Amino acid sequence: MSFTGRLAGKVAVITGGSSGIGRAVCRLFAQEGASVAVLDRDKIGAKETCASLSNHHGNRHCFVHMDVSSEDDVVACVKSVEGEIGKSTILVNAAGITRDQFLSKMSGKQFDDVIAVNLKGSFLMTREFVRAFTAEEPGSIVNIASIVGKTGNIGQANYTASKAGVIGMTKTMSLELARKNIRCNAVLPGFIKTPMTDAVPEEVIKKVLKAIPMQRQGHPGEIANACLFLASEESSYITGTALEVTGGL
Ligand code: NAP
């Protein structure tokens, strides 16, 4: 891909950067000139992502082993990123988990774990990012929600609740943060080929593909492209939106 420098000179923090969508976002943002902080609870994956990032444009990268659902980890990592690569003006909340189960069989722990990572983790990261934000230049936050946060999905009461929560929270954040010159938007992926969906049984994949007008799974890079648009100044008058990237699903 050619260098267009859409994020030249920016510092971007990406959670879930060890894998799938988060990793694709890290790579694209680095290619576009950003210095990238790769955050994940998978230390080896975070280190691998970090080592693979382009630094042809003088950008510097770092990785932090952390858990987005831990308030202490979040507070500490936002400070450590600033020390290593500078003050961030871009945050992408991509860390997420599933713990699928039919409603009648879902344990309280399965419900709480998903909310803690997907919803509270995004809240904690955004709060600390905003507390540290003193830049004169504009800021942008991109929350990775999901189309199922709007539609619901069998076996995912916990996950759909967390993603619907992320969509609502994004809208509130956009209202509160506009006066600070920070935009906040959500991306709603459909069915994307990552380690998260590799665990889905073949027969379920076939069923979902039939429901997708474009008849295929998306690639992590296609979500990263939407994140790049929302993180860059190309979307300078867009805030509070929920952008669906679903192949028409
Ligand atoms: P993925 O490949 O499993 O990547 C998620 C990453 O987040 C993993 O590296 C995971 O580490 C990390 N993570 C999980 N819990 C964490 C925590 N508490 N603290 C820090 N890092 C944590 O999944 P993906 O498909 O790229 O998903 C990325 C985001 O897109 C998620 O929010 C997901 O809900 C959303 N999404 C995905 C799809 C899809 O079709 N793939 C569709 C809609 C939305 P571990 O491997 O250790 O868990």
Side-chain angles (χ1 to χ4, degrees):
M1 186 181 283
S2 61
F3 178 69
T4 58
R6 278 182 279 177
L7 300 181
K10 306 280 186 192
V11 175
V13 176
I14 322 290
T15 73
S18 291
S19 176
I21 291 169
R23 176 173 274 180
V25 172
C26 290
R27 289 186 173 154
L28 182 60
F29 282 20
Q31 274 169 18
E32 289 293 336
S35 291
V36 172
V38 183
L39 275 45
D40 208 287
R41 69 175 176 188
D42 169 5
K43 190 178 179 182
I44 294 169
K47 199 175 172 182
E48 277 171 11
T49 301
C50 191
S52 74
L53 299 181
S54 153
N55 55 5
H56 294 146
H57 308 284
N59 39 352
R60 299 178 301 135
H61 313 296
C62 67
F63 71 92
V64 185
H65 178 221
M66 55 83 72
D67 177 348
V68 294
S69 67
S70 154
E71 196 152 357
D72 289 348
D73 277 14
V74 170
V75 170
C77 90
V78 170
K79 286 205 180 90
S80 81
V81 167
E82 187 176 328
E84 287 204 51
I85 59 172
K87 269 194 179 295
S88 57
T89 58
I90 296 169
L91 168 66
V92 179
N93 285 307
I97 58 169
T98 53
R99 296 287 182 267
D100 296 356
Q101 187 53 271
F102 292 117
L103 182 63
S104 57
K105 292 184 181 164
M106 187 175 286
S107 67
K109 180 166 166 37
Q110 282 174 319
F111 190 87
D112 289 347
D113 286 352
V114 170
I115 298 292
V117 175
N118 299 5
L119 183 56
K120 191 174 178 194
S122 299
F123 156 72
L124 291 172
M125 282 300 306
T126 305
R127 188 190 68 189
E128 290 313 305
F129 171 87
V130 168
R131 283 180 175 170
F133 190 88
T134 53
E136 297 287 308
E137 50 186 307
S140 178
I141 298 160
V142 182
N143 291 323
I144 308 296
S146 171
I147 192 63
V148 299
K150 282 175 91 173
T151 62
N153 200 25
I154 290 172
Q156 292 198 310
N158 48 5
Y159 185 79
T160 52
S162 75
K163 295 302 187 178
V166 168
I167 295 168
M169 188 169 71
T170 300
K171 290 185 184 291
T172 296
M173 288 168 170
S174 72
L175 297 176
E176 289 192 22
L177 300 178
R179 66 188 169 81
K180 286 185 187 279
N181 203 12
I182 302 173
R183 295 179 298 107
C184 187
N185 292 290
V187 170
L188 278 50
F191 194 41
I192 312 303
K193 188 153 179 43
T194 70
M196 183 181 271
T197 51
D198 284 346
V200 176
E202 193 62 33
E203 66 272 17
V204 178
I205 293 186
K206 278 189 185 147
K207 245 191 200 169
V208 179
L209 288 180
K210 278 192 187 146
I212 300 173
M214 289 183 70
Q215 299 274 296
R216 65 168 176 86
Q217 276 187 275
H219 305 297
E222 293 175 312
I223 304 302
N225 284 334
C227 294
L228 173 61
F229 170 66
L230 291 172
S232 77
E233 282 304 288
E234 284 172 13
S235 60
S236 55
Y237 199 51
I238 299 177
T239 194
T241 197
L243 176 59
E244 298 178 12
V245 188
T246 64
L249 182 67

